[in-house]
Amino acid sequence: MSDAHTRRVQEQFGGSAGAYVASPLHAAGEDLERLLAWGAARRGDRVLDVATGGGHTALAFAGIARRVVAYDLTEPMLQAARGHLQARGAANVGFVAGDAGALPFRDGSFDIVTCRTAAHHFADVGAAVRQIHRVLTAGGTLLLQDILGHDDSEASAFILEVERRRDPSHVRSYRTAEWKAFLRAAGLTVMDDFVIWKAREWDEWTGRMRMTAEARGELEAFVRRAPDRCRAAFDFKLTPDRVVSFTDRQILLRADRD
Ligand SMILES: C[S@@+](CC[C@H](N)C(=O)[O-])C[C@H]1O[C@@H](n2cnc3c(N)ncnc32)[C@H](O)[C@@H]1O
């Protein structure tokens, strides 16, 4: 990953660590329940949570695994996750800093790798998936969730601009076929996949990334100027004076290493 992109991620998330620990959208949801159900069925002893953020996925898996490693590029985020998990009494979680594209673990170290709401920040998703494949044991499983890319190019360009104005470290989100190609190319076999909808409350979503009032005003004007069909694709709810919410789709994938 380039130094400039690493710095962008660290700047964005370093100052927002507390907000990610507190975020209800990260603390729970159908997506986390599904990943956990897949994990419980797989009964993995050793779990790696890539891009752990506030540690919500690591915490959930700490309840079903012997040992969890929470891994993230942003040190202040890892510190916040450590405080969060210690306060919740999760004693079987270790914390390691680094890039998803260069995992500092031996081949075959983990039974399960989780990666939730994070891959759209990776500069090179293919490299991250190859690393995940390498650190998985034979028969191990990747449990992945991320924002799903839109099939319509105009809607896709619209939401990419919204995302990047809110968070310059957003790279892009991928469609189901793109995900399957990344996983297949790395040697992982997709066993299960599905899509869910997730609503974003605008004030919380923009506030969590500490947007200035000016930048937020410009973003809201951009959303209002966009073609109706782009807003409709993400179910944007607007009143005459504010943006209330929008909804995007999330992909969930379970993929095994042969
Ligand atoms: C939205 S948070 C993750 C949420 C978390 N997985 C959860 O379930 O609550 C995104 C995280 O990805 C991390 N991140 C972004 N790019 C990364 C990379 N290349 N390697 C490791 N972590 C990365 C950021 O530092 C941030 O903490």
PDB file of all heavy atoms in Angstrom, residues 1 9 13 20 26 49-57 71-74 77 98-101 115-118 120-123, ligand 1:
ATOM      1  N   MET A   1       0.844  -1.194   0.000  1.00  0.00           N
ATOM      2  CA  MET A   1       0.000   0.000   0.000  1.00  0.00           C
ATOM      3  C   MET A   1       0.883   1.250   0.000  1.00  0.00           C
ATOM      4  O   MET A   1       1.912   1.273   0.644  1.00  0.00           O
ATOM      5  CB  MET A   1      -0.862  -0.011   1.274  1.00  0.00           C
ATOM      6  CG  MET A   1      -1.901   1.099   1.290  1.00  0.00           C
ATOM      7  SD  MET A   1      -2.690   1.288   2.892  1.00  0.00           S
ATOM      8  CE  MET A   1      -3.794  -0.080   2.928  1.00  0.00           C
ATOM      9  N   VAL A   9      -5.772   6.597   5.533  1.00  0.00           N
ATOM     10  CA  VAL A   9      -6.558   5.698   6.391  1.00  0.00           C
ATOM     11  C   VAL A   9      -6.319   6.052   7.855  1.00  0.00           C
ATOM     12  O   VAL A   9      -7.261   6.199   8.655  1.00  0.00           O
ATOM     13  CB  VAL A   9      -6.166   4.211   6.132  1.00  0.00           C
ATOM     14  CG1 VAL A   9      -6.743   3.305   7.197  1.00  0.00           C
ATOM     15  CG2 VAL A   9      -6.602   3.772   4.743  1.00  0.00           C
ATOM     16  N   PHE A  13      -9.193   7.327  10.475  1.00  0.00           N
ATOM     17  CA  PHE A  13      -9.658   6.470  11.564  1.00  0.00           C
ATOM     18  C   PHE A  13      -9.013   6.807  12.906  1.00  0.00           C
ATOM     19  O   PHE A  13      -9.612   6.546  13.946  1.00  0.00           O
ATOM     20  CB  PHE A  13      -9.452   4.994  11.199  1.00  0.00           C
ATOM     21  CG  PHE A  13     -10.444   4.536  10.170  1.00  0.00           C
ATOM     22  CD1 PHE A  13     -10.102   4.470   8.840  1.00  0.00           C
ATOM     23  CD2 PHE A  13     -11.739   4.228  10.545  1.00  0.00           C
ATOM     24  CE1 PHE A  13     -11.029   4.079   7.883  1.00  0.00           C
ATOM     25  CE2 PHE A  13     -12.676   3.844   9.594  1.00  0.00           C
ATOM     26  CZ  PHE A  13     -12.318   3.768   8.261  1.00  0.00           C
ATOM     27  N   TYR A  20     -16.085   4.809  16.503  1.00  0.00           N
ATOM     28  CA  TYR A  20     -16.282   3.461  15.964  1.00  0.00           C
ATOM     29  C   TYR A  20     -16.573   2.454  17.070  1.00  0.00           C
ATOM     30  O   TYR A  20     -17.375   1.540  16.893  1.00  0.00           O
ATOM     31  CB  TYR A  20     -15.094   3.036  15.086  1.00  0.00           C
ATOM     32  CG  TYR A  20     -15.310   3.533  13.676  1.00  0.00           C
ATOM     33  CD1 TYR A  20     -14.952   4.823  13.311  1.00  0.00           C
ATOM     34  CD2 TYR A  20     -15.954   2.744  12.736  1.00  0.00           C
ATOM     35  CE1 TYR A  20     -15.211   5.307  12.042  1.00  0.00           C
ATOM     36  CE2 TYR A  20     -16.216   3.210  11.460  1.00  0.00           C
ATOM     37  CZ  TYR A  20     -15.844   4.503  11.120  1.00  0.00           C
ATOM     38  OH  TYR A  20     -16.124   4.979   9.862  1.00  0.00           O
ATOM     39  N   HIS A  26     -21.885  -0.788  14.034  1.00  0.00           N
ATOM     40  CA  HIS A  26     -20.776  -1.732  14.081  1.00  0.00           C
ATOM     41  C   HIS A  26     -20.930  -2.723  15.231  1.00  0.00           C
ATOM     42  O   HIS A  26     -20.468  -3.856  15.142  1.00  0.00           O
ATOM     43  CB  HIS A  26     -19.450  -0.976  14.206  1.00  0.00           C
ATOM     44  CG  HIS A  26     -19.126  -0.204  12.961  1.00  0.00           C
ATOM     45  ND1 HIS A  26     -19.714   0.999  12.675  1.00  0.00           N
ATOM     46  CD2 HIS A  26     -18.319  -0.499  11.917  1.00  0.00           C
ATOM     47  CE1 HIS A  26     -19.269   1.435  11.495  1.00  0.00           C
ATOM     48  NE2 HIS A  26     -18.421   0.542  11.024  1.00  0.00           N
ATOM     49  N   ASP A  49      -9.013 -11.284  13.030  1.00  0.00           N
ATOM     50  CA  ASP A  49      -9.976 -10.277  12.575  1.00  0.00           C
ATOM     51  C   ASP A  49      -9.193  -9.155  11.888  1.00  0.00           C
ATOM     52  O   ASP A  49      -8.557  -8.335  12.554  1.00  0.00           O
ATOM     53  CB  ASP A  49     -10.785  -9.740  13.766  1.00  0.00           C
ATOM     54  CG  ASP A  49     -11.863  -8.764  13.306  1.00  0.00           C
ATOM     55  OD1 ASP A  49     -12.414  -8.975  12.206  1.00  0.00           O
ATOM     56  OD2 ASP A  49     -12.143  -7.795  14.032  1.00  0.00           O
ATOM     57  N   VAL A  50      -9.239  -9.150  10.562  1.00  0.00           N
ATOM     58  CA  VAL A  50      -8.487  -8.166   9.769  1.00  0.00           C
ATOM     59  C   VAL A  50      -9.265  -6.857   9.707  1.00  0.00           C
ATOM     60  O   VAL A  50     -10.457  -6.851   9.398  1.00  0.00           O
ATOM     61  CB  VAL A  50      -8.248  -8.709   8.336  1.00  0.00           C
ATOM     62  CG1 VAL A  50      -7.615  -7.640   7.449  1.00  0.00           C
ATOM     63  CG2 VAL A  50      -7.363  -9.947   8.379  1.00  0.00           C
ATOM     64  N   ALA A  51      -8.558  -5.745  10.012  1.00  0.00           N
ATOM     65  CA  ALA A  51      -9.179  -4.401  10.046  1.00  0.00           C
ATOM     66  C   ALA A  51     -10.270  -4.377  11.107  1.00  0.00           C
ATOM     67  O   ALA A  51     -11.441  -4.145  10.823  1.00  0.00           O
ATOM     68  CB  ALA A  51      -9.689  -3.996   8.666  1.00  0.00           C
ATOM     69  N   THR A  52      -9.834  -4.566  12.331  1.00  0.00           N
ATOM     70  CA  THR A  52     -10.769  -4.788  13.452  1.00  0.00           C
ATOM     71  C   THR A  52     -11.538  -3.534  13.857  1.00  0.00           C
ATOM     72  O   THR A  52     -12.586  -3.626  14.497  1.00  0.00           O
ATOM     73  CB  THR A  52      -9.991  -5.370  14.658  1.00  0.00           C
ATOM     74  OG1 THR A  52     -10.903  -5.979  15.558  1.00  0.00           O
ATOM     75  CG2 THR A  52      -9.189  -4.298  15.389  1.00  0.00           C
ATOM     76  N   GLY A  53     -11.039  -2.355  13.489  1.00  0.00           N
ATOM     77  CA  GLY A  53     -11.736  -1.122  13.873  1.00  0.00           C
ATOM     78  C   GLY A  53     -11.920  -1.064  15.383  1.00  0.00           C
ATOM     79  O   GLY A  53     -10.984  -1.291  16.158  1.00  0.00           O
ATOM     80  N   GLY A  54     -13.155  -0.790  15.830  1.00  0.00           N
ATOM     81  CA  GLY A  54     -13.439  -0.726  17.271  1.00  0.00           C
ATOM     82  C   GLY A  54     -13.495  -2.088  17.937  1.00  0.00           C
ATOM     83  O   GLY A  54     -13.753  -2.167  19.144  1.00  0.00           O
ATOM     84  N   GLY A  55     -13.280  -3.167  17.183  1.00  0.00           N
ATOM     85  CA  GLY A  55     -13.144  -4.502  17.774  1.00  0.00           C
ATOM     86  C   GLY A  55     -14.452  -5.269  17.928  1.00  0.00           C
ATOM     87  O   GLY A  55     -14.491  -6.298  18.612  1.00  0.00           O
ATOM     88  N   HIS A  56     -15.522  -4.832  17.270  1.00  0.00           N
ATOM     89  CA  HIS A  56     -16.818  -5.481  17.502  1.00  0.00           C
ATOM     90  C   HIS A  56     -16.855  -6.921  16.984  1.00  0.00           C
ATOM     91  O   HIS A  56     -17.423  -7.799  17.630  1.00  0.00           O
ATOM     92  CB  HIS A  56     -17.934  -4.656  16.855  1.00  0.00           C
ATOM     93  CG  HIS A  56     -18.066  -3.308  17.476  1.00  0.00           C
ATOM     94  ND1 HIS A  56     -18.569  -3.117  18.739  1.00  0.00           N
ATOM     95  CD2 HIS A  56     -17.717  -2.076  17.037  1.00  0.00           C
ATOM     96  CE1 HIS A  56     -18.546  -1.838  19.045  1.00  0.00           C
ATOM     97  NE2 HIS A  56     -18.018  -1.171  18.028  1.00  0.00           N
ATOM     98  N   THR A  57     -16.249  -7.152  15.830  1.00  0.00           N
ATOM     99  CA  THR A  57     -16.248  -8.515  15.291  1.00  0.00           C
ATOM    100  C   THR A  57     -15.314  -9.402  16.121  1.00  0.00           C
ATOM    101  O   THR A  57     -15.642 -10.551  16.433  1.00  0.00           O
ATOM    102  CB  THR A  57     -15.831  -8.492  13.804  1.00  0.00           C
ATOM    103  OG1 THR A  57     -16.732  -7.622  13.111  1.00  0.00           O
ATOM    104  CG2 THR A  57     -15.892  -9.877  13.188  1.00  0.00           C
ATOM    105  N   TYR A  71      -6.491  -7.153  14.326  1.00  0.00           N
ATOM    106  CA  TYR A  71      -5.415  -6.597  13.499  1.00  0.00           C
ATOM    107  C   TYR A  71      -5.917  -5.335  12.809  1.00  0.00           C
ATOM    108  O   TYR A  71      -7.019  -5.309  12.260  1.00  0.00           O
ATOM    109  CB  TYR A  71      -5.042  -7.662  12.457  1.00  0.00           C
ATOM    110  CG  TYR A  71      -3.884  -7.342  11.559  1.00  0.00           C
ATOM    111  CD1 TYR A  71      -2.577  -7.467  12.019  1.00  0.00           C
ATOM    112  CD2 TYR A  71      -4.089  -6.942  10.251  1.00  0.00           C
ATOM    113  CE1 TYR A  71      -1.500  -7.200  11.182  1.00  0.00           C
ATOM    114  CE2 TYR A  71      -3.022  -6.673   9.402  1.00  0.00           C
ATOM    115  CZ  TYR A  71      -1.722  -6.805   9.882  1.00  0.00           C
ATOM    116  OH  TYR A  71      -0.655  -6.556   9.055  1.00  0.00           O
ATOM    117  N   ASP A  72      -5.113  -4.271  12.830  1.00  0.00           N
ATOM    118  CA  ASP A  72      -5.562  -3.027  12.180  1.00  0.00           C
ATOM    119  C   ASP A  72      -4.352  -2.158  11.837  1.00  0.00           C
ATOM    120  O   ASP A  72      -3.324  -2.192  12.509  1.00  0.00           O
ATOM    121  CB  ASP A  72      -6.507  -2.253  13.109  1.00  0.00           C
ATOM    122  CG  ASP A  72      -7.406  -1.296  12.336  1.00  0.00           C
ATOM    123  OD1 ASP A  72      -6.924  -0.212  11.930  1.00  0.00           O
ATOM    124  OD2 ASP A  72      -8.586  -1.632  12.120  1.00  0.00           O
ATOM    125  N   LEU A  73      -4.546  -1.345  10.804  1.00  0.00           N
ATOM    126  CA  LEU A  73      -3.489  -0.448  10.311  1.00  0.00           C
ATOM    127  C   LEU A  73      -3.310   0.779  11.214  1.00  0.00           C
ATOM    128  O   LEU A  73      -2.256   1.409  11.195  1.00  0.00           O
ATOM    129  CB  LEU A  73      -3.882   0.012   8.899  1.00  0.00           C
ATOM    130  CG  LEU A  73      -2.897   0.796   8.070  1.00  0.00           C
ATOM    131  CD1 LEU A  73      -1.639  -0.025   7.802  1.00  0.00           C
ATOM    132  CD2 LEU A  73      -3.537   1.191   6.727  1.00  0.00           C
ATOM    133  N   THR A  74      -4.340   1.119  11.979  1.00  0.00           N
ATOM    134  CA  THR A  74      -4.371   2.402  12.686  1.00  0.00           C
ATOM    135  C   THR A  74      -4.174   2.172  14.189  1.00  0.00           C
ATOM    136  O   THR A  74      -5.060   1.625  14.851  1.00  0.00           O
ATOM    137  CB  THR A  74      -5.732   3.097  12.425  1.00  0.00           C
ATOM    138  OG1 THR A  74      -5.948   3.139  11.007  1.00  0.00           O
ATOM    139  CG2 THR A  74      -5.763   4.503  12.983  1.00  0.00           C
ATOM    140  N   MET A  77      -6.783   3.227  16.720  1.00  0.00           N
ATOM    141  CA  MET A  77      -7.962   2.370  16.617  1.00  0.00           C
ATOM    142  C   MET A  77      -7.734   1.085  17.412  1.00  0.00           C
ATOM    143  O   MET A  77      -8.607   0.630  18.149  1.00  0.00           O
ATOM    144  CB  MET A  77      -8.226   2.078  15.135  1.00  0.00           C
ATOM    145  CG  MET A  77      -9.550   1.478  14.840  1.00  0.00           C
ATOM    146  SD  MET A  77     -10.942   2.477  15.378  1.00  0.00           S
ATOM    147  CE  MET A  77     -11.597   3.036  13.843  1.00  0.00           C
ATOM    148  N   GLY A  98      -0.822  -3.499  11.625  1.00  0.00           N
ATOM    149  CA  GLY A  98      -0.238  -3.731  10.313  1.00  0.00           C
ATOM    150  C   GLY A  98      -1.263  -3.628   9.203  1.00  0.00           C
ATOM    151  O   GLY A  98      -2.447  -3.377   9.437  1.00  0.00           O
ATOM    152  N   ASP A  99      -0.753  -3.846   8.000  1.00  0.00           N
ATOM    153  CA  ASP A  99      -1.538  -3.699   6.771  1.00  0.00           C
ATOM    154  C   ASP A  99      -2.118  -5.052   6.343  1.00  0.00           C
ATOM    155  O   ASP A  99      -1.408  -6.061   6.376  1.00  0.00           O
ATOM    156  CB  ASP A  99      -0.574  -3.170   5.692  1.00  0.00           C
ATOM    157  CG  ASP A  99      -1.262  -2.823   4.392  1.00  0.00           C
ATOM    158  OD1 ASP A  99      -2.398  -3.271   4.149  1.00  0.00           O
ATOM    159  OD2 ASP A  99      -0.629  -2.100   3.602  1.00  0.00           O
ATOM    160  N   ALA A 100      -3.357  -5.027   5.891  1.00  0.00           N
ATOM    161  CA  ALA A 100      -3.997  -6.265   5.422  1.00  0.00           C
ATOM    162  C   ALA A 100      -3.228  -6.887   4.255  1.00  0.00           C
ATOM    163  O   ALA A 100      -3.301  -8.099   4.039  1.00  0.00           O
ATOM    164  CB  ALA A 100      -5.428  -5.961   4.982  1.00  0.00           C
ATOM    165  N   GLY A 101      -2.491  -6.070   3.529  1.00  0.00           N
ATOM    166  CA  GLY A 101      -1.754  -6.584   2.377  1.00  0.00           C
ATOM    167  C   GLY A 101      -0.418  -7.211   2.745  1.00  0.00           C
ATOM    168  O   GLY A 101       0.306  -7.691   1.857  1.00  0.00           O
ATOM    169  N   CYS A 115     -13.317 -10.340   8.176  1.00  0.00           N
ATOM    170  CA  CYS A 115     -13.001  -9.007   7.663  1.00  0.00           C
ATOM    171  C   CYS A 115     -14.342  -8.323   7.379  1.00  0.00           C
ATOM    172  O   CYS A 115     -15.031  -8.681   6.423  1.00  0.00           O
ATOM    173  CB  CYS A 115     -12.148  -9.104   6.401  1.00  0.00           C
ATOM    174  SG  CYS A 115     -11.630  -7.486   5.785  1.00  0.00           S
ATOM    175  N   ARG A 116     -14.703  -7.383   8.246  1.00  0.00           N
ATOM    176  CA  ARG A 116     -16.066  -6.801   8.177  1.00  0.00           C
ATOM    177  C   ARG A 116     -15.999  -5.291   7.988  1.00  0.00           C
ATOM    178  O   ARG A 116     -15.299  -4.598   8.727  1.00  0.00           O
ATOM    179  CB  ARG A 116     -16.801  -7.155   9.480  1.00  0.00           C
ATOM    180  CG  ARG A 116     -18.160  -6.502   9.649  1.00  0.00           C
ATOM    181  CD  ARG A 116     -18.868  -7.062  10.865  1.00  0.00           C
ATOM    182  NE  ARG A 116     -20.110  -6.386  11.127  1.00  0.00           N
ATOM    183  CZ  ARG A 116     -20.334  -5.591  12.188  1.00  0.00           C
ATOM    184  NH1 ARG A 116     -19.377  -5.361  13.077  1.00  0.00           N
ATOM    185  NH2 ARG A 116     -21.511  -5.030  12.351  1.00  0.00           N
ATOM    186  N   THR A 117     -16.707  -4.800   6.997  1.00  0.00           N
ATOM    187  CA  THR A 117     -16.851  -3.358   6.739  1.00  0.00           C
ATOM    188  C   THR A 117     -15.492  -2.680   6.633  1.00  0.00           C
ATOM    189  O   THR A 117     -15.240  -1.654   7.278  1.00  0.00           O
ATOM    190  CB  THR A 117     -17.700  -2.672   7.857  1.00  0.00           C
ATOM    191  OG1 THR A 117     -18.763  -3.520   8.231  1.00  0.00           O
ATOM    192  CG2 THR A 117     -18.258  -1.351   7.372  1.00  0.00           C
ATOM    193  N   ALA A 118     -14.609  -3.220   5.850  1.00  0.00           N
ATOM    194  CA  ALA A 118     -13.253  -2.678   5.806  1.00  0.00           C
ATOM    195  C   ALA A 118     -12.592  -2.759   4.438  1.00  0.00           C
ATOM    196  O   ALA A 118     -11.791  -1.884   4.092  1.00  0.00           O
ATOM    197  CB  ALA A 118     -12.378  -3.408   6.828  1.00  0.00           C
ATOM    198  N   HIS A 120     -13.281  -2.049   1.528  1.00  0.00           N
ATOM    199  CA  HIS A 120     -13.395  -0.906   0.602  1.00  0.00           C
ATOM    200  C   HIS A 120     -12.319   0.154   0.886  1.00  0.00           C
ATOM    201  O   HIS A 120     -12.200   1.111   0.146  1.00  0.00           O
ATOM    202  CB  HIS A 120     -14.805  -0.289   0.670  1.00  0.00           C
ATOM    203  CG  HIS A 120     -15.235   0.126   2.032  1.00  0.00           C
ATOM    204  ND1 HIS A 120     -15.822  -0.741   2.928  1.00  0.00           N
ATOM    205  CD2 HIS A 120     -15.143   1.313   2.677  1.00  0.00           C
ATOM    206  CE1 HIS A 120     -16.081  -0.095   4.056  1.00  0.00           C
ATOM    207  NE2 HIS A 120     -15.670   1.149   3.933  1.00  0.00           N
ATOM    208  N   HIS A 121     -11.554  -0.024   1.967  1.00  0.00           N
ATOM    209  CA  HIS A 121     -10.428   0.875   2.263  1.00  0.00           C
ATOM    210  C   HIS A 121      -9.100   0.341   1.756  1.00  0.00           C
ATOM    211  O   HIS A 121      -8.099   1.055   1.801  1.00  0.00           O
ATOM    212  CB  HIS A 121     -10.293   1.082   3.776  1.00  0.00           C
ATOM    213  CG  HIS A 121     -11.459   1.771   4.387  1.00  0.00           C
ATOM    214  ND1 HIS A 121     -11.702   3.100   4.198  1.00  0.00           N
ATOM    215  CD2 HIS A 121     -12.453   1.306   5.167  1.00  0.00           C
ATOM    216  CE1 HIS A 121     -12.811   3.432   4.837  1.00  0.00           C
ATOM    217  NE2 HIS A 121     -13.280   2.359   5.428  1.00  0.00           N
ATOM    218  N   PHE A 122      -9.066  -0.915   1.327  1.00  0.00           N
ATOM    219  CA  PHE A 122      -7.788  -1.518   0.963  1.00  0.00           C
ATOM    220  C   PHE A 122      -7.355  -1.038  -0.422  1.00  0.00           C
ATOM    221  O   PHE A 122      -8.136  -1.079  -1.370  1.00  0.00           O
ATOM    222  CB  PHE A 122      -7.880  -3.052   0.944  1.00  0.00           C
ATOM    223  CG  PHE A 122      -8.245  -3.689   2.269  1.00  0.00           C
ATOM    224  CD1 PHE A 122      -8.597  -5.025   2.331  1.00  0.00           C
ATOM    225  CD2 PHE A 122      -8.231  -2.962   3.453  1.00  0.00           C
ATOM    226  CE1 PHE A 122      -8.924  -5.629   3.543  1.00  0.00           C
ATOM    227  CE2 PHE A 122      -8.559  -3.547   4.673  1.00  0.00           C
ATOM    228  CZ  PHE A 122      -8.909  -4.881   4.713  1.00  0.00           C
ATOM    229  N   ALA A 123      -6.079  -0.640  -0.512  1.00  0.00           N
ATOM    230  CA  ALA A 123      -5.565  -0.182  -1.810  1.00  0.00           C
ATOM    231  C   ALA A 123      -5.496  -1.346  -2.798  1.00  0.00           C
ATOM    232  O   ALA A 123      -5.663  -1.158  -3.992  1.00  0.00           O
ATOM    233  CB  ALA A 123      -4.187   0.441  -1.619  1.00  0.00           C
TER     234      ALA A 123
HETATM  235  C1  LIG B   1     -15.025   0.552   9.577  1.00  0.00           C
HETATM  236  S1  LIG B   1     -13.628   0.068  10.436  1.00  0.00           S
HETATM  237  C2  LIG B   1     -13.825  -1.686  10.641  1.00  0.00           C
HETATM  238  C3  LIG B   1     -14.998  -2.130  11.454  1.00  0.00           C
HETATM  239  C4  LIG B   1     -14.818  -3.446  12.155  1.00  0.00           C
HETATM  240  N1  LIG B   1     -14.273  -4.501  11.302  1.00  0.00           N
HETATM  241  C5  LIG B   1     -16.102  -3.920  12.829  1.00  0.00           C
HETATM  242  O1  LIG B   1     -16.550  -5.046  12.583  1.00  0.00           O
HETATM  243  O2  LIG B   1     -16.654  -3.123  13.620  1.00  0.00           O
HETATM  244  C6  LIG B   1     -12.372   0.087   9.175  1.00  0.00           C
HETATM  245  C7  LIG B   1     -10.986  -0.226   9.734  1.00  0.00           C
HETATM  246  O3  LIG B   1     -10.173  -0.674   8.652  1.00  0.00           O
HETATM  247  C8  LIG B   1      -8.852  -0.323   8.988  1.00  0.00           C
HETATM  248  N2  LIG B   1      -8.055  -0.458   7.766  1.00  0.00           N
HETATM  249  C9  LIG B   1      -8.191   0.238   6.619  1.00  0.00           C
HETATM  250  N3  LIG B   1      -7.281  -0.163   5.718  1.00  0.00           N
HETATM  251  C10 LIG B   1      -6.571  -1.161   6.294  1.00  0.00           C
HETATM  252  C11 LIG B   1      -5.503  -2.002   5.848  1.00  0.00           C
HETATM  253  N4  LIG B   1      -4.979  -1.884   4.628  1.00  0.00           N
HETATM  254  N5  LIG B   1      -5.024  -2.928   6.695  1.00  0.00           N
HETATM  255  C12 LIG B   1      -5.539  -3.065   7.940  1.00  0.00           C
HETATM  256  N6  LIG B   1      -6.549  -2.291   8.417  1.00  0.00           N
HETATM  257  C13 LIG B   1      -7.063  -1.359   7.603  1.00  0.00           C
HETATM  258  C14 LIG B   1      -8.984   1.081   9.524  1.00  0.00           C
HETATM  259  O4  LIG B   1      -7.859   1.467  10.268  1.00  0.00           O
HETATM  260  C15 LIG B   1     -10.260   0.963  10.352  1.00  0.00           C
HETATM  261  O5  LIG B   1      -9.968   0.707  11.693  1.00  0.00           O
END
